[in-house]
Amino acid sequence: HVQLVESGGGSVQAGGSLTLSCTSPGLSFSDRCMAWFRQSPGKEREWVASVDGDGATSYSDSVKGRFACSQDNAKTSLYLEMNNLKPEDDGIYYCAAQNLWCTGTSVGDFRYWGKGTQVTVS
């Protein structure tokens, strides 16, 4: 059973920073698309950022320039560094993985999901 585990969420004031982490004891992050999504109350889950099998990163317009998605050299952890946080960044952040390189940014494109970590910006 593949499980993704997020950590690093918390409460922060607007303008502050947080770094989220994602690990998996049963899934290699090498040569696959890894991503972060978020979901706020009453809203659909939305894509935030991805890192592809070659290390290329992509970001939604709402976080571009403020967030940075990365992996460690061993490809066992995924990170999301979030700077200049805004109240609209509030929500539950999910780590997700595809079986192959990135094919899209829709929820349905991703097979594996974590349970999420809460980020609260006040």
Side-chain angles (χ1 to χ4, degrees):
H1 176 67
V2 174
Q3 184 179 5
L4 301 179
V5 181
E6 303 95 338
S7 61
S11 297
V12 64
Q13 291 187 337
S17 300
L18 280 175
T19 297
L20 306 182
S21 300
C22 173
T23 60
S24 176
L27 184 71
S28 170
F29 291 2
S30 180
D31 292 324
R32 70 171 72 242
C33 181
M34 300 295 302
W36 290 96
F37 284 73
R38 68 185 180 191
Q39 187 166 19
S40 302
K43 295 186 179 180
E44 293 187 352
R45 192 170 298 189
E46 64 171 350
W47 171 75
V48 174
S50 295
V51 55
D52 213 339
D54 61 355
T57 54
S58 302
Y59 301 93
S60 67
D61 288 342
S62 63
V63 306
K64 196 174 295 181
R66 300 187 298 122
F67 289 14
C69 184
S70 63
Q71 292 184 332
D72 64 337
N73 289 335
K75 301 294 180 70
T76 59
S77 296
L78 178 72
Y79 304 102
L80 185 67
E81 180 182 351
M82 305 184 294
N83 299 306
N84 190 21
L85 283 160
K86 303 177 181 181
E88 50 263 42
D89 296 317
D90 214 80
I92 300 174
Y93 282 70
Y94 298 91
C95 175
Q98 295 188 18
N99 269 332
L100 299 172
W101 286 33
C102 294
T103 59
T105 59
S106 298
V107 170
D109 292 321
F110 291 81
R111 178 172 183 179
Y112 305 108
W113 291 86
K115 294 183 179 180
T117 184
Q118 177 72 50
V119 172
T120 303
V121 184
S122 58

